[in-house]
Amino acid sequence: MMRKFPEGFLWGGATAANQVEGGWKEGGKGISVSDCARHHLDVDVENYKAHNHITSKDIEEALASDDDSLYPKRHGSQFYYHYKEDIKMFAEMGFKVYRMSIAWSRIFPNGDDEQPNEAGLKFYDDVFDECAKYGIEPLVTMSHYEPPLNLVLKYNGWYNRKLVGFFETFVKTICERYKNKVKYWLTFNEVDSMIRHPYTTGGLIEDRFPGIKWNQVIFQAMHHQFVASALATKICHEIISDSMVGCMLTKLTYYPYSCKPEDVLQAQQDMRGTYCYSDTQVFGEYPAYLLAKFKNEGVEIVKEPGDDEVMKKYPVDFVSFSYYMSSGLDTAVGNTVTAVKNPYLPSSEWGWQIDPIGLRISMVDLYDRYRKPLFIVENGLGAKDVVLPDGTIDDQYRIDYFDCHFKEMLNAIEIDGVECLGYTSWGCIDIVSESTKQMSKRYGFIYVDADDYGKGTYKRIPKKSFYWYKKVIETNGACLFED
């Protein structure tokens, strides 16, 4: 009997508004934190902190600059202008689901506006209608690395309790508007990323908090997002009766450096550092080990009456995650962390270690821990694709990456009994990468003719992987096991 994925498995792709849309001043859109994120092409790709450390001076320079070539997310892949063409190509591949995000600053340009921006709401109406035309189910992230900049400058981002209320208003607005168009939702993308890039996730700029411990700022902002996520789940369930709301975490799977007990303990501690965020959203309360961390580090979370009850009453329905690579101890380079390279694994051009079995391990760990359906919403290979003289792109290396990961994904489902709703490859069309703000670090099945400075025709070209993925979806994975 030919192996294949379960009936109804949701195959598709994923993007984020701040990396794909462009049109940063179109249709009444306000400025987001991502519109002020400058690329650093002169910075070593392994220096993750240098790519993501933002100061008040950086913001001032961004607001004074009209040079969009320095701020790649202002142009993205110009999905804002090409969405019909792009969704048609997704449909040609056979997508069942398209994971995307709604730019908060398109709906509420300043974040604290009393009324939403109708032009922004209309844009997403059009996008969802285009998806529906081809039978593609939207999976929508409510907040994906782009709080409105005004919330940073006026309120100091998610450190301020008022953002919970502003987010509630945003969620009520989009749930009410799209209640007949969107069933699957995620609250905060990689909610755990507050600890790694607090500016893009939480609108936090360290120099704006003199005299306050940075850890205190980060975890207070995190608490506000946990409460906001629970309230978003509540709102979504009340407005959309058949909705499913998930959390989204960065799945970092750590291996011990050796069998030395100290190394095993360190890997366990590192794993807890990943799980503490999803534990809170799934179980509706802070795990004991995170409370111990707060106590040991002198972090005091300021709560309002009812916070604990809201978090407990409205946990998420499913667990979604990103997976790109596994990690060793301490220091391989990746989207978010650095660690000792694993000698048993190959690496990509950006130093990411390719570990398909790590995906299976991650799925088993998450499902055993939470007993809730999983959804793999980010996975893929960033590479420097080349357009050949005949106009084609031969990205066999990407096909090889997906082939081995898909087989391990099915192993987790068939052999290990993991319930998995679906899979969306990251950057299904080329987008501006998050880690280095480059277009040349490409993930897509569809090539976008633009360089790191936003120059190009923005013509869309299917890569070799486009046709391969189309067959995978057509056969529900059966073609992976053909001779």
Side-chain angles (χ1 to χ4, degrees):
M1 182 177 175
M2 182 66 72
R3 296 181 69 191
K4 63 179 181 179
F5 283 76
E7 286 300 315
F9 189 80
L10 294 171
W11 291 100
T15 62
N18 74 90
Q19 292 164 263
V20 73
E21 278 184 8
W24 73 296
K25 286 186 175 179
E26 297 282 0
K29 180 184 177 296
I31 300 173
S32 79
V33 297
S34 287
D35 295 325
C36 300
R38 180 171 176 163
H39 64 46
H40 297 282
L41 302 180
D42 55 337
V43 175
D44 179 359
V45 295
E46 299 196 11
N47 191 347
Y48 182 77
K49 287 185 177 180
H51 284 289
N52 290 279
H53 182 67
I54 304 289
T55 66
S56 293
K57 183 181 178 184
D58 293 329
I59 300 301
E60 291 171 9
E61 291 177 354
L63 291 175
S65 175
D66 292 324
D67 187 354
D68 292 353
S69 70
L70 299 176
Y71 299 92
K73 292 186 174 184
R74 295 181 180 183
H75 50 76
S77 305
Q78 296 194 353
F79 176 83
Y80 187 81
Y81 310 101
H82 292 263
Y83 71 91
K84 289 187 177 182
E85 175 187 358
D86 294 345
I87 293 170
K88 184 178 181 181
M89 294 183 80
F90 298 162
E92 187 181 338
M93 275 187 281
F95 279 19
K96 311 300 181 188
V97 63
Y98 172 41
R99 182 197 170 203
M100 52 172 283
S101 66
I102 291 176
W104 188 351
S105 59
R106 275 204 195 281
I107 311 304
F108 290 93
N110 299 297
D112 60 356
D113 313 78
E114 290 188 11
Q115 296 297 324
N117 171 35
E118 176 58 31
L121 289 167
K122 176 66 165 57
F123 169 69
Y124 292 110
D125 265 324
D126 293 343
V127 170
F128 296 141
D129 289 346
E130 203 66 20
C131 287
K133 181 173 150 184
Y134 298 103
I136 298 173
E137 192 88 50
L139 167 60
V140 177
T141 310
M142 296 171 176
S143 180
H144 194 139
Y145 294 171
E146 52 184 334
L149 186 66
N150 178 62
L151 298 181
V152 179
L153 302 180
K154 189 174 177 181
Y155 301 96
N156 276 335
W158 276 96
Y159 181 73
N160 192 317
R161 177 73 192 207
K162 288 184 177 180
L163 265 72
V164 176
F166 297 146
F167 191 70
E168 273 189 278
T169 300
F170 168 61
V171 172
K172 286 176 184 175
T173 301
I174 59 176
C175 284
E176 189 61 48
R177 180 74 172 223
Y178 308 124
K179 61 185 176 184
N180 298 317
K181 301 182 180 185
V182 181
K183 173 184 175 181
Y184 296 101
W185 299 84
L186 305 177
T187 55
F188 292 92
N189 180 69
E190 295 184 336
V191 67
D192 51 284
S193 64
M194 186 84 75
I195 206 82
R196 297 186 303 277
H197 39 89
Y199 168 73
T200 48
T201 300
L204 306 177
I205 300 175
E206 190 167 1
D207 61 51
R208 295 177 67 91
F209 296 92
I212 307 177
K213 287 193 302 184
W214 191 225
N215 241 15
Q216 175 71 43
V217 172
I218 287 173
F219 282 109
Q220 185 63 56
M222 184 78 72
H223 173 73
H224 292 153
Q225 286 199 349
F226 285 144
V227 174
S229 177
L231 289 169
T233 303
K234 174 181 183 288
I235 292 164
C236 205
H237 285 165
E238 288 174 351
I239 295 176
I240 312 170
S241 59
D242 63 343
S243 62
M244 291 186 69
V245 185
C247 64
M248 198 288 199
L249 73 148
T250 317
K251 185 61 185 79
L252 302 174
T253 293
Y254 292 92
Y255 299 144
Y257 184 72
S258 74
C259 57
K260 183 180 176 183
E262 288 84 351
D263 290 344
V264 176
L265 177 64
Q266 182 61 54
Q268 183 186 64
Q269 295 296 320
D270 289 341
M271 289 299 297
R272 276 182 154 188
T274 295
Y275 286 138
C276 62
Y277 312 102
S278 47
D279 280 357
T280 303
Q281 290 186 291
V282 172
F283 299 125
E285 60 188 10
Y286 288 109
Y289 62 87
L290 185 55
L291 293 175
K293 175 183 174 68
F294 291 162
K295 181 179 179 181
N296 294 334
E297 296 182 5
V299 172
E300 297 182 12
I301 302 297
V302 178
K303 300 179 182 179
E304 286 195 359
D307 280 3
D308 291 337
E309 290 76 12
V310 166
M311 289 167 61
K312 188 68 176 177
K313 192 173 180 180
Y314 302 105
V316 293
D317 303 315
F318 65 96
V319 176
S320 77
F321 64 98
S322 61
Y323 176 86
Y324 295 97
M325 54 177 246
S326 55
S327 299
L329 284 177
D330 298 327
T331 74
V333 176
N335 188 29
T336 51
V337 292
T338 55
V340 173
K341 284 189 180 293
N342 188 326
Y344 299 99
L345 298 174
S347 296
S348 73
E349 292 174 82
W350 274 267
W352 297 30
Q353 296 209 272
I354 299 170
D355 182 9
I357 293 177
L359 174 59
R360 179 180 175 182
I361 293 168
S362 298
M363 292 174 70
V364 171
D365 284 351
L366 288 170
Y367 193 65
D368 284 356
R369 192 177 188 97
Y370 299 130
R371 301 295 174 94
K372 290 199 175 191
L374 304 183
F375 209 130
I376 302 167
V377 295
E378 284 188 34
N379 171 244
L381 178 69
K384 291 181 178 178
D385 299 327
V386 176
V387 181
L388 299 174
D390 64 358
T392 63
I393 299 103
D394 184 356
D395 59 340
Q396 183 63 43
Y397 41 83
R398 184 168 289 111
I399 293 171
D400 294 341
Y401 175 94
F402 283 125
D403 180 82
C404 56
H405 280 78
F406 290 174
K407 287 173 179 173
E408 293 300 338
M409 179 164 60
L410 185 57
N411 284 338
I413 294 169
E414 278 191 348
I415 299 172
D416 304 316
V418 173
E419 182 182 1
C420 186
L421 298 172
Y423 172 95
T424 57
S425 69
W426 180 242
C428 50
I429 182 171
D430 289 346
I431 59 177
V432 173
S433 76
E434 172 58 36
S435 56
T436 57
K437 315 295 186 289
Q438 289 177 276
M439 275 297 291
S440 57
K441 185 181 184 183
R442 299 175 182 276
Y443 286 86
F445 301 113
I446 302 166
Y447 184 92
V448 176
D449 178 33
D451 65 15
D452 289 336
Y453 300 93
K455 296 177 181 177
T457 65
Y458 286 87
K459 180 183 177 182
R460 274 64 169 149
I461 307 171
K463 303 176 189 177
K464 183 178 181 180
S465 59
F466 178 101
Y467 303 102
W468 177 83
Y469 193 42
K470 179 179 180 179
K471 188 176 181 183
V472 169
I473 298 175
E474 274 178 0
T475 64
N476 203 16
C479 67
L480 301 169
F481 304 96
E482 294 175 353
D483 292 333

